[in-house]
Amino acid sequence: DAKREGRGIVRVFDESMDENVKLRRSIEGGLSKAIEKGELHLVYQPIVAREGLEIVGFEALLRWNTDAHGPISPAVFIPIAEESNLIHELGDWVLEQSLDMVKDWPGQYVSVNFSPRQFRRHNFVGRILDRVQRAGVDPQRVQIEITETAIFDDADRAAETLYKLRQMGFRIALDDFGTGYSSLYNIRKFALDCLKIDRSFIDGMGRERESAAIVQSIVHLGRSLGLGVIAEGVETEAQVQALRVAGCSHLQGYFFSRPVEAAVARTMAASLYLTNGEDDLTVDPPA
Ligand code: C2E
Ligand code: MG
Ligand code: MG
Ligand code: MG
């Protein structure tokens, strides 16, 4: 009958799909059950101020540990979720957890990643405000991280959304800055608090003159627009020195701390400063 025929067609199609498509399907299927199965959790990476190196906030980063395949990177599953409505379910969960967490910290903000599709969702502003109010969290303690892709496709609408969010007190960070195709000139249109320089430029700083020059111009741009500039992916002391000289206002990366579990973040937040570890890779509070 037609039903069986339909199934047959699906099977033939299935067999002709390449491994990649199968993997995507399997990830999508697993992800749709990940929340109820308790396979998701957030880790938190400190963001420190250039002066004094105190912890001003933590970025929340999603982790997925599957029974079947072990941990799967958000760099793999977020783009897949982004292609379906799953991203909304995941995003709501991430926001809820982040708001819960920020209440445990004395004053730091939580920096939450939002994909382009989340940002463009109908009534994004109303939804996020509702969540924050219900959680009893001051919007100033929430930083919204979006990428250039999220705002430049429909710039006028994005500018309005950002303006409203900023009016309400949310912080806005432009993530992975320098990798998109935004015209630097147009950045002025958007109500932002800071630019996050993409890790690839920080990584290249010591090796190629181009990267160092790009970092320097992003810092100049940010400063002339009155924005903070966060360097992400800072791994070495040489990079810390170079970024301080360049005038970067905030730093984040493995040099200071990898993303850590909630309980560890709580301890770090309470102490305000990263304490000096035995490996001498972390930094003492100022004297
Ligand atoms: P992102 O927002 O640009 O996050 C920075 C990534 O760089 C994170 O990878 C972080 O663990 C990593 N990182 C931080 N410091 C260093 C360093 O010093 N060296 C190196 N090599 N890497 C460093 P992660 O956690 O794998 O996340 C990858 C991407 O997945 C994120 O990039 C973000 O775009 C996305 N993502 C993660 N969590 C969420 C989420 O809750 N929602 C959404 N929409 N996207 C998320
Ligand atoms: Mg981010
Ligand atoms: Mg980033
Ligand atoms: Mg990135």
Side-chain angles (χ1 to χ4, degrees):
D1 59 33
K3 226 174 173 180
R4 196 170 286 163
E5 218 174 282
R7 231 179 269 148
I9 289 166
V10 169
R11 197 177 311 117
V12 170
F13 178 57
D14 226 69
E15 277 159 10
S16 69
M17 288 193 297
D18 62 16
E19 289 302 311
N20 246 332
V21 177
K22 274 190 203 160
L23 184 65
R24 292 181 78 86
R25 287 281 157 80
S26 138
I27 288 176
E28 212 179 293
L31 204 48
S32 68
K33 295 180 207 103
I35 294 178
E36 56 178 285
K37 284 170 80 179
E39 292 179 340
L40 296 174
H41 76 285
L42 293 177
V43 287
Y44 303 87
Q45 188 179 35
I47 299 169
V48 304
R50 177 178 84 124
E51 309 296 340
L53 297 175
E54 80 271 30
I55 302 171
V56 297
F58 291 84
E59 179 173 6
L61 293 158
L62 190 54
R63 293 293 176 263
W64 180 24
N65 288 309
T66 66
D67 285 339
H69 310 283
I72 299 179
S73 163
V76 172
F77 70 79
I78 291 288
I80 293 174
E82 176 74 355
E83 283 180 12
S84 72
N85 282 327
L86 271 176
I87 192 67
H88 297 312
E89 204 185 322
L90 289 184
D92 289 347
W93 186 86
V94 166
L95 181 59
E96 206 168 291
Q97 299 287 308
S98 301
L99 293 172
D100 232 40
M101 189 66 197
V102 79
K103 288 192 265 189
D104 284 3
W105 305 335
Q108 291 91 351
Y109 61 80
V110 65
S111 201
V112 183
N113 292 284
F114 290 89
S115 70
R117 186 143 171 201
Q118 289 177 272
F119 181 70
R120 295 193 203 110
R121 189 184 190 182
H122 174 70
N123 195 24
F124 176 70
V125 175
R127 280 174 206 277
I128 193 167
L129 186 65
D130 178 62
R131 296 267 169 164
V132 166
Q133 285 176 338
R134 268 194 288 156
V137 171
D138 181 346
Q140 304 226 29
R141 297 193 61 198
V142 179
Q143 178 160 277
I144 296 169
E145 291 198 15
I146 46 163
T147 56
E148 294 165 80
T149 328
I151 60 174
F152 281 96
D153 287 356
D154 188 351
D156 290 340
R157 186 168 162 229
E160 196 185 321
T161 303
L162 292 178
Y163 179 78
K164 285 186 195 153
L165 290 167
R166 193 104 184 290
Q167 289 288 98
M168 292 168 180
F170 290 99
R171 296 162 184 270
I172 317 284
L174 201 49
D175 201 3
D176 301 341
F177 190 72
T179 57
Y181 20 59
S182 56
S183 109
L184 297 187
Y185 182 77
N186 277 331
I187 287 294
R188 295 175 312 152
K189 280 214 287 251
F190 302 102
L192 303 170
D193 290 279
C194 63
L195 306 174
K196 292 190 80 171
I197 307 176
D198 192 67
R199 180 150 64 82
S200 56
F201 302 118
I202 310 303
D203 188 46
M205 269 175 86
R207 286 181 279 108
E208 326 146 346
R209 258 201 279 153
E210 293 83 356
S211 289
I214 290 167
V215 167
Q216 189 64 75
S217 31
I218 293 175
V219 173
H220 281 320
L221 172 78
R223 289 177 73 155
S224 65
L225 295 174
L227 306 175
V229 179
I230 303 177
E232 64 176 14
V234 180
E235 291 182 350
T236 67
E237 182 145 30
Q239 289 169 345
V240 175
Q241 298 314 335
L243 289 162
R244 282 178 134 174
V245 170
C248 233
S249 63
H250 295 86
L251 310 168
Q252 180 184 10
Y254 294 172
F255 176 78
F256 300 100
S257 170
R258 289 188 174 251
V260 296
E261 299 296 326
V264 180
R266 208 174 281 127
T267 309
M268 282 181 172
S271 73
L272 279 175
Y273 298 97
L274 294 163
T275 48
N276 208 351
E278 283 174 340
D279 53 4
D280 216 25
L281 277 179
T282 48
V283 181
D284 266 335

